[in-house]
Amino acid sequence: MKKKWKNININYSSILVFLGIVFFWQVISVTGLVPSFLLPSPGDVLRAFVMDFSLLLHHLKITLVEALLGLGLGLFLGFLAALLMDRYPRVYRGLYPLLVVTQTVPTVAIAPLLVLWMGYEMAPKITLIVIVTFFPIAVNLYEGFQHADPDQIKLIHAMGGNTRDVFKYVKWPAAYPQFFSSLKIAVSYSVVGAVIAEWLGGFAGLGVYMTKVKKSYSFDKMFAVIFLISILSLLLMGLVRLLQRKMMPWIYKGE
């Protein structure tokens, strides 16, 4: 019961902090400390969100499809890479340094090249999302596999189990915490990666919409898009949390 109240207090604290930020934002807008064309008030942002809601939903569908396709492919490739690195040390020694190198190149620097090579359709957006989501999945899953209990592995072998049994009953469950931690990161990266790729070219999507409204200096609409992107990221992370709750019920026992 105390644990429940603790969680509730944390949620209330987050709400109070958010309301405090909105109140401070409104005060700055009303007093004119920052010109309204640079920092629209929360009311203006809400009004822009409501007025362009149908248009925002249209662009949201495109961005969401790109994010989910890229995330799914990045998840598959990351899982495969982690599995191969765990199974074959030579693959780890050859592949891991390349994974690190891919993270030293800024995403904004890669995106224009992908658009140049692949055009303005979905292909460059999905590729960029795969690049930014692949690394956290692969590295964290590999670390999870490596931290499996060696005594449990020996027990499986002693009972006549094979490599598949070791993975199913020991290594994969041991990697759950790292997997879901990396999945939460990858989910947020997928949305951000899609928007960044859309900034550099495309026909639809939240990033394309942001580019258009920026050129017309409609900053209230830009803030509305930022608000929508935040909601989308939070919803996707909430879905990951629900999946984690289902696959790891022992963590949430007593809540």
Side-chain angles (χ1 to χ4, degrees):
M1 188 69 180
K2 290 182 178 179
K3 194 172 183 180
K4 285 185 176 181
W5 279 110
K6 184 178 179 182
N7 291 334
I8 291 174
N9 289 334
I10 291 174
N11 292 334
Y12 275 131
S13 299
S14 301
I15 293 172
L16 289 174
V17 170
F18 174 76
L19 292 177
I21 292 173
V22 172
F23 176 77
F24 182 69
W25 178 7
Q26 180 67 30
V27 169
I28 292 176
S29 301
V30 171
T31 56
L33 293 176
V34 179
S36 59
F37 66 88
L38 291 179
L39 183 65
S41 68
D44 292 335
V45 174
L46 182 60
R47 191 178 303 108
F49 183 83
V50 173
M51 292 181 63
D52 277 12
F53 185 70
S54 59
L55 184 59
L56 286 171
L57 280 184
H58 167 71
H59 290 288
L60 174 64
K61 292 176 184 177
I62 306 299
T63 301
L64 184 59
V65 169
E66 293 168 352
L68 293 179
L69 288 176
L71 177 64
L73 189 55
L75 180 61
F76 171 75
L77 294 176
F79 181 86
L80 182 62
L83 195 61
L84 291 175
M85 287 191 296
D86 177 69
R87 184 71 178 85
Y88 305 104
R90 289 185 179 180
V91 174
Y92 168 75
R93 290 193 293 270
L95 184 60
Y96 191 83
L98 295 178
L99 293 179
V100 175
V101 169
T102 61
Q103 300 306 299
T104 62
V105 181
T107 304
V108 179
I110 300 175
L113 294 175
L114 295 177
V115 173
L116 181 65
W117 294 336
M118 300 180 181
Y120 294 100
E121 298 294 339
M122 278 193 179
K125 285 84 168 177
I126 294 174
T127 303
L128 184 66
I129 296 167
V130 170
I131 292 173
V132 298
T133 58
F134 172 78
F135 180 80
I137 296 292
V139 171
N140 282 281
L141 265 179
Y142 171 75
E143 293 294 332
F145 293 155
Q146 289 293 300
H147 284 86
D149 190 342
D151 292 332
Q152 292 182 2
I153 295 175
K154 292 177 182 178
L155 179 62
I156 294 291
H157 285 308
M159 296 175 65
N162 53 26
T163 304
R164 182 180 299 177
D165 295 323
V166 170
F167 175 80
K168 181 179 179 181
Y169 297 109
V170 181
K171 290 196 170 186
W172 175 230
Y176 279 176
Q178 290 88 344
F179 170 69
F180 283 108
S181 296
S182 62
L183 186 57
K184 290 174 183 177
I185 296 171
V187 160
S188 59
Y189 280 7
S190 66
V191 178
V192 174
V195 173
I196 290 175
E198 290 167 352
W199 282 348
L200 302 171
F203 305 103
L206 294 177
V208 175
Y209 177 84
M210 289 183 74
T211 303
K212 291 179 179 179
V213 297
K214 182 186 69 173
K215 292 179 179 178
S216 61
Y217 295 97
S218 301
F219 291 112
D220 53 343
K221 295 181 180 180
M222 282 197 67
F223 274 92
V225 178
I226 294 171
F227 178 67
L228 184 58
I229 292 172
S230 300
I231 293 176
L232 177 60
S233 298
L234 289 173
L235 287 175
L236 291 176
M237 291 183 69
L239 290 176
V240 173
R241 183 176 173 82
L242 288 177
L243 180 61
Q244 183 180 14
R245 182 185 290 271
K246 187 171 182 62
M247 295 183 66
M248 302 176 65
W250 59 89
I251 289 185
Y252 301 94
K253 189 177 181 180
E255 288 190 7

